[in-house]
Amino acid sequence: MNETGRVLVVDDDVTVRDVVRRYLELAGHQVELAGDGEQALRRIAEQEPDLVVLDLMLPGVDGLEVCRRLRARSAVPVVMLTALGEEEDRIAGLRLGADDYVTKPFSPRELALRVTSVLRRSRVPAERTGAELVDGDLRVDVGARAVWLGGRELPLTAREFDLLVFFLSHRGKAFSRTELLSRVWGWEFGDQSTVTVHVRRLREKVEVDSARPVRIATVWGVGYRYDGGS
C-alpha cells in the first residue's frame, strides 16, 4: 500500500513552509505550497490533494474557516498546525473535521510521520478488510471505506471512519479514551479531547438524536461503548 501522496502545505511563514516541504519530500510525498487561506482554497478547487497540512493562524481567511469550507465539499484528510497552548483552537479544528494536529514549535520529522500515518489510515481499512458491518439501517463497506445510513451515504473523515469501524468491530465492550487513542489513532500519548471531539462528531452523523445516543454510549468513569441502534 502506497503511503505517499500529494500534500498541500498551508502556512504564511516562508521558513516553516520550506522546512515542512523538505521533510515531506524526503518522506516521498509530492508537496505544493500555499501562503494563505484563499490561495489554499483555490489550489484545492483546482486539484484536490491527498492531504492538507493546515496552519490555523493564517492572514485573511484563517485555518478554521479553510477547514470549514473544505469539509463542506470534501473528506480529504487534514493535519492542523496549532500554537502550543491554543487548546480552544485545536478543539475547534477537530470539531470541524480535522483528522490530526501537531503543535508549534514542532518536530518536522514528527509532522512527516503524522502525515504518512494519516494517509495510510485513510487508504487502508482499520480492521476486517473486505468486510461489511451492519447495524440496523447503518451499513459500512470496510473495503470501499464507505458508510450509509438509511440508504444515504455519510461524509465521514478518515478518523471518523476508523473510529466507527473499531466500535462496530467491538460491540458491547467499553474502551477508555486512552485505549481509543492507542487503538484507533496509533498514539501512545496525546490529548484525550481528540477522542471526545471525534465521538461527538460521529454521533452527530450516525445517531437519530446525538444528545440522546443509542449507538455510542458514554460509560461514565471509563469512556465509550458501542451498543448498536438495532
Side-chain angles (χ1 to χ4, degrees):
M1 175 62 65
N2 186 6
E3 297 177 356
T4 62
R6 291 180 54 254
V7 179
L8 175 63
V9 177
V10 189
D11 197 299
D12 62 325
D13 188 314
V14 176
T15 302
V16 170
R17 289 202 306 268
D18 185 58
V19 170
V20 171
R21 176 186 59 78
R22 285 190 285 113
Y23 272 81
L24 290 178
E25 287 179 346
L26 284 172
H29 303 291
Q30 298 176 23
V31 182
E32 297 182 10
L33 305 175
D36 58 51
E38 291 286 3
Q39 184 182 14
L41 290 168
R42 286 197 302 271
R43 290 281 183 85
I44 293 167
E46 290 168 1
Q47 185 177 11
E48 186 172 289
D50 296 312
L51 183 143
V52 178
V53 174
L54 178 63
D55 184 21
L56 292 191
M57 300 297 291
L58 295 171
V61 179
D62 66 17
L64 290 177
E65 181 60 23
V66 171
C67 192
R68 182 182 293 108
R69 294 186 192 180
L70 180 58
R71 278 293 168 262
R73 61 180 294 273
S74 171
V76 61
V78 174
V79 176
M80 298 183 299
L81 300 180
T82 67
L84 185 64
E86 298 296 329
E87 183 177 4
E88 289 185 5
D89 285 343
R90 183 166 67 250
I91 291 176
L94 292 170
R95 284 175 176 167
L96 289 172
D99 297 87
D100 206 342
Y101 69 89
V102 175
T103 56
K104 291 183 175 182
F106 61 87
S107 159
R109 183 174 179 273
E110 178 193 355
L111 174 60
L113 289 172
R114 288 287 181 90
V115 166
T116 298
S117 173
V118 172
L119 276 173
R120 181 176 63 249
R121 295 189 72 86
S122 71
R123 293 167 173 170
V124 180
E127 299 185 29
R128 299 176 59 175
T129 302
E132 182 175 88
L133 303 173
V134 179
D135 174 26
D137 60 350
L138 179 67
R139 184 168 66 87
V140 179
D141 184 329
V142 180
R145 294 188 70 88
V147 181
W148 293 269
L149 181 63
R152 178 176 63 88
E153 188 168 3
L154 299 180
L156 300 190
T157 67
R159 292 294 189 192
E160 290 165 358
F161 180 89
D162 290 345
L163 184 59
L164 178 60
V165 169
F166 183 83
F167 276 140
L168 281 166
S169 301
H170 299 86
R171 301 188 202 199
K173 183 176 179 180
F175 292 91
S176 68
R177 291 170 179 81
T178 299
E179 288 174 316
L180 290 170
L181 273 177
S182 175
R183 302 285 293 275
V184 179
W185 275 258
W187 300 356
E188 294 309 316
F189 59 89
D191 186 348
Q192 293 186 10
S193 64
T194 299
V195 176
T196 305
V197 172
H198 276 79
V199 168
R200 182 181 304 151
R201 283 183 54 83
L202 189 56
R203 280 172 169 165
E204 291 171 352
K205 296 179 180 181
V206 304
E207 301 280 6
V208 174
D209 181 356
S210 61
R212 297 178 177 82
V214 296
R215 283 191 160 102
I216 306 172
T218 297
V219 182
W220 299 109
V222 179
Y224 302 101
R225 181 187 66 236
Y226 194 93
D227 288 338
S230 58

